[in-house]
Amino acid sequence: MEKTIRSTAKMENYESPLHIISAHLAEMGITLTSQKVVGKSSEIPALRQSLEALSAEGCMIVADALHCRREMAALVVKKKADYLLSVKDNQGMLKQDIKEYVQDDMLRKNMDTAQTCEKNGGRLEKRSAFVTREIDWLSSRDEWKNLGCIGAIYS
């Protein structure tokens, strides 16, 4: 996980906001490792280095779209872990394939779904999640090591 320390953006002694990547054991609320990175460009090698150093067997590695790369998926699988990677414009074709699948009413009916509703910052946030393991149609599935499912969140 990468986090920009927002309060540093306004501090005169910093040229740019402070960025930190961290590995968390979410179930226990424990931070396993944390390190400062210089902007987004150094985040990818820093996460790779952290993952190489950690024992991740049996864990779920969750990362944002910056880390949605075939090499990252392969490294996670090599560490005997699973991955959940956000897909955005850096994987345009994959994003488009997932979007078209989820927007198809007939296909979406067969997807596993879950909904949440919570109050956050004075507003009501509703989210719907859709997941399928039926990915034989996905042309790039073999490029992603051990890809097991795709999904989308509508909020």
Side-chain angles (χ1 to χ4, degrees):
M1 176 177 115
E2 182 267 337
K3 181 80 172 160
T4 300
I5 309 302
R6 300 219 180 267
S7 61
T8 62
K10 296 178 184 174
M11 297 176 77
E12 295 174 7
N13 294 340
Y14 292 96
E15 290 181 20
S16 65
L18 178 63
H19 297 275
I20 296 175
I21 64 160
S22 301
H24 301 281
L25 186 53
E27 292 83 9
M28 299 181 78
I30 297 172
T31 299
L32 301 173
T33 183
S34 186
Q35 75 182 76
K36 179 182 125 182
V37 293
V38 182
K40 294 276 186 188
S41 62
S42 61
E43 184 182 332
I44 294 169
L47 180 63
R48 182 177 193 79
Q49 181 183 17
S50 291
L51 188 55
E52 289 279 8
L54 291 171
S55 172
E57 186 173 348
C59 294
M60 171 67 73
I61 306 299
V62 180
D64 65 15
L66 180 65
H67 303 285
C68 185
R69 301 168 183 275
R70 291 166 190 85
E71 306 82 31
M72 182 59 68
L75 176 58
V76 170
V77 172
K78 178 183 166 191
K79 298 294 287 185
K80 298 181 180 172
D82 294 314
Y83 58 87
L84 174 64
L85 303 174
S86 296
V87 178
K88 289 192 178 173
D89 292 335
N90 66 331
Q91 296 294 337
M93 213 43 180
L94 181 59
K95 177 186 172 187
Q96 186 63 32
D97 286 345
I98 293 169
K99 183 178 179 180
E100 287 176 9
Y101 188 94
V102 174
Q103 288 181 344
D104 184 295
D105 291 335
M106 293 301 290
L107 294 172
R108 194 174 53 250
K109 286 179 184 177
N110 295 322
M111 297 180 82
D112 294 329
T113 62
Q115 287 84 33
T116 63
C117 187
E118 63 186 25
K119 213 171 186 182
N120 188 0
R123 64 180 179 203
L124 199 58
E125 292 183 2
K126 297 178 182 179
R127 291 183 192 90
S128 298
F130 304 92
V131 177
T132 186
R133 291 185 172 277
E134 295 176 23
I135 58 171
D136 289 342
W137 57 271
L138 187 62
S139 61
S140 63
R141 75 183 176 282
D142 293 333
E143 298 172 20
W144 295 88
K145 188 86 169 161
N146 289 10
L147 182 64
C149 65
I150 60 162
I153 297 175
Y154 175 76
S155 59

